[in-house]
Amino acid sequence: MDPSFFTMGMWSIGAGALGAAALALLLANTDVFLSKSQKATLEYLEDIDLKTLGKEPRTFKAKELWEKNGAVIMAVRRPGCFLCREEAADLSSLKPKLDELGVPLYAVVKEQIRTEVQDFQPYFKGEIFLDEKKRFYGPQRRKMMFMGFVRLGVWYNFFRARNGGFSGNLEGEGFILGGVFVVGSGKQGILLEHREKEFGDKVNPVSVLEAARKIQPQTSAAKSN
């Protein structure tokens, strides 16, 4: 056999493999394979069961969080994740302005492991509740698996959070994507719904504040009716 044919064949196989890898990397950095989100309705959110995290847990309907004054709610992907801690700190920086508006800041987590929620609390300046059925992560629950680690946007988010001084751990489930909601009082509705599309895809704090300013406390809403 002519050695040149063998060399050419190996080169072709190698070039084909490199081309396939390049195409896969390119597609992984588009939205083609991302889980599609489905917007939540107010009725869906209202019916979610949440549980307090104190010594005597109480189960209640989520609508209690926003019924009177609206609310900003973070659905935390994983409390020990340094990217989630970064977003929690960003939202917490809005707390003084939210307090002026009378709008509370809350978070929900999907599991309670050892001291993970307690260790998350320094980054988040609001009350935290447990969503055992993970309904705040729906209606269509979305996951990002190992594809996230080949996305350039995710690596940018990693470096941004690390440079910001955030650190974390690998405890708990971290593939189900989270989000942030701004919900108006009473039946005012969902004023902002941010669905995390990849690890570290933070909500814009300016958008959160703009949505919070649209909230009408229930007393004001009642007077206008």
Side-chain angles (χ1 to χ4, degrees):
M1 180 183 292
D2 188 339
S4 63
F5 284 108
F6 178 77
T7 302
M8 186 178 297
M10 293 302 293
W11 184 89
S12 298
I13 292 172
L18 285 174
L23 179 61
L25 184 62
L26 179 65
L27 290 174
N29 279 278
T30 68
D31 292 349
V32 173
F33 296 117
L34 293 182
S35 301
K36 305 302 180 185
S37 63
Q38 178 183 345
K39 286 190 175 296
T41 64
L42 181 63
E43 291 72 21
Y44 172 85
L45 295 182
E46 286 178 330
D47 195 48
I48 294 175
D49 289 322
L50 297 178
K51 185 180 291 185
T52 59
L53 297 174
K55 293 182 179 179
E56 298 180 1
R58 177 179 74 91
T59 300
F60 64 97
K61 293 296 183 183
K63 66 180 181 180
E64 286 187 25
L65 298 182
W66 59 78
E67 205 159 24
K68 292 183 179 179
N69 298 302
V72 175
I73 305 166
M74 177 182 181
V76 182
R77 181 166 52 80
R78 190 170 63 80
C81 171
F82 68 105
L83 296 170
C84 299
R85 290 176 173 183
E86 180 195 29
E87 183 168 33
D90 282 356
L91 289 172
S92 294
S93 71
L94 302 177
K95 189 73 164 59
K97 292 181 179 178
L98 292 175
D99 287 345
E100 287 178 10
L101 295 170
V103 177
L105 176 65
Y106 299 117
V108 297
V109 295
K110 53 185 183 291
E111 56 188 356
Q112 186 179 15
I113 300 176
R114 290 183 284 278
T115 62
E116 288 303 293
V117 174
Q118 182 181 336
D119 295 340
F120 182 71
Q121 195 73 69
Y123 303 94
F124 189 78
K125 306 305 180 185
E127 197 169 354
I128 302 174
F129 304 97
L130 179 63
D131 177 11
E132 289 181 307
K133 295 181 180 178
K134 306 178 180 64
R135 294 194 64 203
F136 259 102
Y137 303 82
Q140 182 174 318
R141 202 175 299 166
R142 301 162 304 116
K143 288 187 177 183
M144 171 161 281
M145 306 299 283
F146 297 104
M147 182 182 72
F149 297 103
V150 297
R151 288 180 64 87
L152 297 179
V154 171
W155 283 100
Y156 170 81
N157 296 339
F158 283 168
F159 287 119
R160 181 196 64 218
R162 287 294 186 195
N163 290 336
F166 293 92
S167 60
N169 58 55
L170 298 176
E171 294 284 345
E173 195 286 323
F175 294 122
I176 297 175
L177 298 171
V180 174
F181 300 85
V182 178
V183 187
S185 65
K187 293 293 184 179
Q188 192 178 356
I190 301 169
L191 304 176
L192 181 145
E193 180 176 350
H194 170 79
R195 296 288 185 171
E196 186 182 27
K197 75 172 187 178
E198 62 184 7
F199 302 145
D201 175 32
K202 300 189 300 178
V203 70
N204 185 338
V206 175
S207 299
V208 172
L209 203 55
E210 287 176 352
R213 289 193 175 113
K214 296 177 184 177
I215 295 175
Q216 290 181 297
Q218 200 171 39
T219 51
S220 300
K223 288 178 182 178
S224 64
N225 289 336

